[in-house]
Amino acid sequence: MKLVRTGRERGIATIRMDSPTNRNVLSARLVAELRETLAGHGEDDTVRAVVLTHTGNTFCAGADLGAPPDPEAFVALMRQIVTLPKPVVARVDGHVRAGGLGLLAACDISAAGPASTFALTESRLGLAPAVISMPLLPRTDPRAAARYYLTGERFDAAEAARISLVTIAAEDVDKALVPVLDGLRRASPQGLAASKELVTATVRESFDQYAEDLIARSAALFASEAREGMTAFLERRDPAWAL
């Protein structure tokens, strides 16, 4: 059974993460299916833009802690979203945690509904938002990033919009996306690709400059005291360092 479902309407391709039983965690399989689907849409001249969304009450709960994906593959997925010659629009009406925020930040435009909540929970597990920093930090308010990186606090869609993590916070996320998708349909493929190159320049530079170091840093963290944090999470208990 595939973890990704697709659809199409008037040039807008939809990619729906469809693994609600495990909250759409970033498993090796989900990452691979997303990369394959995105590649196909990137080469399809009938696709003007891509909407990335989810089934269930969670957009993405972050890495599969039982079997985390290869950091290089996840970095390749985020880079693929950033460099795809078509705009990628995130439609979120559910929870987003840890690595899911990297997936969200890689998208060009994003809209979050009232059921959306966000948290960078890595520090509580003995980890850090390492590889997801490449799309997150260039696009998010730096003072807010410092707060949420360090504390792991949960925040809502309005706060996500205030700190520029998402583009739009709305009571009706689908209604909010109508003018966005209409605008993308009216734009030329060449105009969209060239404009996307301009607005993603800083993010692409971040990948080029930091990817190798952050992949190594992420791997080192997963192999360290984070084992206690991940074990405690899976066992639904506080880690040994909690006060």
Side-chain angles (χ1 to χ4, degrees):
M1 182 176 177
K2 292 183 71 66
L3 302 181
V4 166
R5 291 193 288 119
T6 61
R8 185 84 60 91
E9 183 181 358
R10 291 180 53 216
I12 305 297
T14 299
I15 300 175
R16 185 180 301 275
M17 294 180 284
D18 189 26
S19 186
T21 55
N22 68 3
R23 303 192 303 153
N24 294 315
V25 292
L26 291 163
S27 62
R29 183 178 161 198
L30 178 59
V31 168
E33 289 189 22
L34 287 171
R35 291 183 65 190
E36 180 182 4
T37 306
L38 281 164
H41 290 327
E43 297 171 356
D44 188 342
D45 291 339
T46 67
V47 171
R48 191 61 49 83
V50 177
V51 172
L52 179 63
T53 189
H54 59 101
T55 298
N57 67 1
T58 302
F59 176 78
C60 179
D64 182 348
L65 295 182
D70 176 40
E72 291 189 5
F74 181 46
V75 167
L77 171 61
M78 292 189 293
R79 189 196 293 263
Q80 184 179 12
I81 293 171
V82 171
T83 60
L84 200 78
K86 318 288 176 70
V88 181
V89 178
R91 179 204 171 276
V92 181
D93 201 18
H95 309 302
V96 192
R97 297 290 183 269
L101 274 76
L103 202 61
L104 175 63
C107 295
D108 302 291
I109 301 170
S110 51
S116 303
T117 68
F118 308 82
L120 290 155
T121 54
E122 288 89 343
S123 66
R124 299 186 180 190
L125 299 174
L127 298 166
V131 297
I132 67 173
S133 290
M134 289 180 282
L136 263 174
L137 292 183
R139 287 178 160 162
T140 306
D141 175 80
R143 299 299 288 179
R147 174 181 176 175
Y148 294 121
Y149 267 47
L150 295 172
T151 68
E153 294 171 88
R154 186 173 65 182
F155 53 97
D156 62 13
E159 175 70 352
R162 186 191 72 80
I163 68 175
S164 298
L165 174 63
V166 302
T167 314
I168 305 165
E171 285 300 310
D172 186 331
V173 68
D174 293 312
K175 184 177 179 179
L177 283 175
V178 168
V180 173
L181 299 181
D182 182 60
L184 296 176
R185 287 185 174 106
R186 292 172 180 271
S188 81
Q190 175 178 281
L192 288 175
S195 296
K196 178 167 177 171
E197 281 190 8
L198 293 174
V199 296
T200 59
T202 303
V203 182
R204 287 185 283 109
E205 288 171 5
S206 180
F207 277 91
D208 293 341
Q209 186 171 355
Y210 300 117
E212 185 175 346
D213 173 65
L214 290 176
I215 288 170
R217 192 178 308 185
S218 178
L221 286 167
F222 269 98
S224 66
E225 73 177 21
R227 291 175 177 175
E228 160 62 10
M230 291 186 289
T231 300
F233 177 82
L234 294 171
E235 294 178 353
R236 299 182 183 276
R237 60 173 174 82
D238 288 336
W241 57 74
L243 300 176

